[in-house]
Amino acid sequence: MKRAYVAFLLLLCGYGAGAQIVITPDSAYREADQYTYELVVHAKVYNNTGAPDTIVWVRIQDSLPGCWTVAVCDKNQCYAPTVMAEEFYLPAGDSSILDVHFYTCPCGMGKERVMAYAKSDTVNLRDTSVYIGQIWCVGVPKVENIKPEMLLYPN
């Protein structure tokens, strides 16, 4: 009887481990130079639950320099930076984009954390991902000591 009970528990745990909502990668990074206005960091959300469900994503944390803003895009559309949560339908075994768009102004690094969960089970079927975007300042800010005209030999 004890063996049957242990086998049942292992089967139950194995089934529960495969039934989930997964965001891949769990941490995504992208960088660009100072001339980039929109920096897109890509990820995908997978419905591995075995049943179709409505997926809800929520922006749960951000750390942005100065005038940076962030928009989240799913399979339906890209949402304005003021939208903090949205939902979409995802069939069983299917996936959708879950990208973050950093709209930058000066150089710096922005971080956004997004959680996605199945509307049918908000406690067990969820995952989070951290999106990081970095804009590097490059170049010379002030050019000095350059002669105003070009001289050619023999002058």
Side-chain angles (χ1 to χ4, degrees):
M1 178 67 179
K2 184 177 180 182
R3 286 185 183 171
Y5 182 68
V6 170
F8 175 74
L9 283 177
L10 288 174
L11 180 65
L12 186 63
C13 290
Y15 176 75
Q20 55 189 339
I21 302 300
V22 178
I23 303 175
T24 303
D26 60 354
S27 179
Y29 175 81
R30 183 135 184 236
E31 63 185 9
D33 63 31
Q34 66 189 7
Y35 303 109
T36 303
Y37 170 70
E38 180 180 21
L39 185 63
V40 182
V41 182
H42 301 283
K44 290 187 98 170
V45 60
Y46 295 89
N47 179 359
N48 296 332
T49 63
D53 210 333
T54 299
I55 306 299
V56 179
W57 59 258
V58 180
R59 294 172 49 190
I60 54 176
Q61 179 184 8
D62 64 9
S63 172
L64 303 171
C67 60
W68 284 34
T69 58
V70 173
V72 177
C73 300
D74 61 28
K75 73 179 210 170
N76 293 332
Q77 71 178 39
C78 288
Y79 297 90
T82 56
V83 176
M84 298 302 288
E86 196 54 63
E87 60 185 50
F88 61 92
Y89 177 79
L90 195 60
D94 203 357
S95 65
S96 167
I97 65 166
L98 194 59
D99 297 342
V100 166
H101 292 238
F102 291 98
Y103 298 104
T104 65
C105 44
C107 306
M109 182 172 75
K111 192 185 297 185
E112 181 75 16
R113 190 167 164 217
V114 177
M115 177 176 61
Y117 61 88
K119 200 170 185 179
S120 65
D121 187 351
T122 61
V123 176
N124 298 313
L125 303 177
R126 63 179 168 182
D127 196 11
T128 60
S129 183
V130 176
Y131 299 80
I132 301 168
Q134 182 153 11
I135 299 294
W136 293 99
C137 288
V138 295
V140 180
K142 186 175 180 184
V143 179
E144 296 178 7
N145 298 329
I146 294 184
K147 295 183 180 182
E149 59 188 53
M150 181 183 261
L151 300 175
L152 297 174
Y153 183 79
N155 281 340

